Amino acid sequence: MSKRNQTLGEFIIENQSSFKYSSGELSRLINSIRLAAKVVNHEVNKAGLVDIIGAAGDTNIQGEDQQKLDVYANDKFIQTLTNRNIVCGIASEEEDHFVSINSQDSNNQNKYVVLIDPLDGSSNIDVNVSVGTIFSVYRRVTPVGTPVTIEDFLQPGNQQVAAGYVVYGTSTMLVYTTGDGVNGFTLNPAIGTFYLSHPNMQFPEDGTIYSVNEGNYIHFPQGVKNYIKYCQMEEEDRPYTSRYIGSLVSDFHRNMIKGGIYMYPKSSKNSNGKLRLLYECNPMAFLAEQANGKASDGFTRILDIQPTELHQRVPFFCGSKNMVTKAEEFMHNA
């Protein structure tokens, strides 16, 4: 186990050799995300003091009102990743189309694409509830030296080479994996450095928390309704505790530490579910599996789903292995 007083920069260098494409590029990419996260963190923390919260007046591709801080975070991450000449393409939940990056220095020689949800849960900002950033990294599949295409982004989650999230909460944490376990780093705001605080994070196999928006209960499939009733029954170690923040990063983070299941099923209001496969579900599923958890759409492993469009939505069940398996049983038997 790594030393807890290790900085994120030291950790990246020390563990670079465990990454199968060890060329230094991925390390530089994670460092870029670290830098952008610190800038966004600064803005999130002062959001209550300045007029940066509230709607920006535009809607994103999902038809949702863009919050000002959404736009700011989106710009900062794209700007940082572009300026550092590390990636050949970026897709963001806030952008209609992917961004192809061809700087004079790189001439399309960069090998990685990043998919990002710049500010997940941003509707919670004005009530001071934790929000986050989610990112996912793939190696491009089209030939190096050519501009990226949609094919580079529409890869199944099992092809991810790195994924992670930043949670901007009472303390700011960056949690990520490169396919060799999950580690969490906490920001010391006094000196602006992330330190290893949660080495080798793991979901407990069982948990006692279920996280779902029960206000949508009437719209859920019967299997989900049956599972929620099961969670509420007074027998064995149940009833489980209901905890739902409404910020995916925060709900996932709590359940990984304490043990639980997060559910955003399809419903009569959202026939395909609401969460985005590429920006939210795939990276969280990769993290979950690397932390001894499980993620599915209720029937199929999330990481095996072949994406067909950039902003595709899917149902999402994620968390402690035995809880997700039990939820799947209810889905199958409904």
Side-chain angles (χ1 to χ4, degrees):
M1 189 178 286
S2 303
K3 300 169 189 168
R4 282 179 182 264
N5 61 357
Q6 199 173 31
T7 68
L8 175 56
E10 290 166 346
F11 182 88
I12 289 171
I13 292 167
E14 184 181 298
N15 291 274
Q16 192 170 292
S17 60
S18 68
F19 180 63
K20 62 181 177 180
Y21 304 113
S22 182
S23 62
E25 284 174 289
L26 188 78
S27 300
R28 286 165 51 219
L29 204 161
I30 299 292
N31 272 317
S32 290
I33 288 170
R34 171 184 68 170
L35 175 64
K38 286 199 288 189
V39 174
V40 171
N41 175 68
H42 181 69
E43 293 301 317
V44 168
N45 284 340
K46 69 178 187 181
L49 299 174
V50 295
D51 183 28
I52 199 162
I53 59 172
D58 293 316
T59 54
N60 62 13
I61 183 68
Q62 318 300 337
E64 302 160 335
D65 288 339
Q66 283 185 310
Q67 301 291 311
K68 289 179 185 176
L69 211 46
D70 279 352
V71 178
Y72 179 86
N74 187 52
D75 290 348
K76 282 299 164 196
F77 275 99
I78 290 178
Q79 181 185 327
T80 305
L81 289 166
T82 303
N83 289 351
R84 290 204 154 192
N85 186 24
I86 298 166
V87 297
C88 51
I90 303 169
S92 166
E93 186 182 299
E94 299 297 332
E95 302 280 344
D96 295 9
H97 307 289
F98 65 86
V99 178
S100 180
I101 298 166
N102 176 24
S103 67
Q104 291 179 336
D105 299 331
S106 71
N107 195 26
N108 294 304
Q109 292 303 307
N110 293 328
K111 303 179 184 71
Y112 296 102
V113 295
V114 171
L115 296 99
I116 195 159
D117 181 352
L119 209 61
D120 177 76
S122 56
S123 60
N124 283 323
I125 291 168
D126 56 352
V127 290
N128 210 16
V129 170
S130 298
V131 293
T133 295
I134 307 172
F135 62 91
S136 173
V137 183
Y138 294 82
R139 276 175 72 87
R140 64 179 303 169
V141 291
T142 53
V144 173
T146 63
V148 290
T149 71
I150 190 71
E151 189 186 350
D152 293 304
F153 298 94
L154 297 183
Q155 299 187 56
N158 55 35
Q159 296 301 305
Q160 288 174 100
V161 295
Y165 60 82
V166 185
V167 57
Y168 310 102
T170 47
S171 59
T172 294
M173 280 188 67
L174 190 155
V175 177
Y176 83 101
T177 181
T178 56
D180 188 27
V182 177
N183 292 279
F185 301 81
T186 300
L187 180 65
N188 178 342
I191 54 177
T193 302
F194 282 98
Y195 286 95
L196 179 65
S197 55
H198 293 66
N200 191 28
M201 298 179 79
Q202 298 267 305
F203 272 96
E205 288 206 343
D206 293 287
T208 59
I209 296 170
Y210 70 100
S211 306
V212 64
N213 185 352
E214 291 186 74
N216 290 327
Y217 180 88
I218 194 171
H219 302 289
F220 289 155
Q222 191 59 46
V224 177
K225 291 179 178 176
N226 294 345
Y227 178 68
I228 291 173
K229 288 300 179 194
Y230 166 84
C231 292
Q232 296 169 340
M233 287 172 67
E234 201 162 350
E235 60 182 35
E236 298 173 349
D237 61 341
R238 290 172 281 127
Y240 294 152
T241 303
S242 174
R243 290 283 183 271
Y244 184 71
I245 298 169
S247 176
L248 171 60
V249 167
S250 300
D251 281 309
F252 179 95
H253 187 72
R254 181 203 47 237
N255 289 350
M256 179 159 58
I257 292 170
K258 298 198 168 186
I261 182 173
Y262 175 91
M263 298 179 282
Y264 211 119
K266 68 177 183 180
S267 68
S268 54
K269 293 199 301 183
N270 297 297
S271 58
N272 296 317
K274 190 177 180 188
L275 299 183
R276 290 80 182 177
L277 175 62
L278 295 180
Y279 310 107
E280 295 166 312
C281 302
N282 271 342
M284 289 312 206
F286 188 25
L287 284 160
E289 290 194 6
Q290 284 294 313
N292 193 41
K294 185 174 182 179
S296 86
D297 65 358
F299 302 93
T300 306
R301 180 185 180 220
I302 287 289
L303 296 183
D304 289 339
I305 297 173
Q306 174 62 54
T308 55
E309 54 186 85
L310 270 183
H311 297 283
Q312 184 173 343
R313 301 173 190 256
V314 292
F316 193 52
F317 298 76
C318 180
S320 295
K321 202 176 283 183
N322 293 340
M323 296 185 81
V324 175
T325 299
K326 178 61 76 172
E328 287 177 326
E329 287 175 17
F330 278 94
M331 295 293 287
H332 281 282
N333 294 331

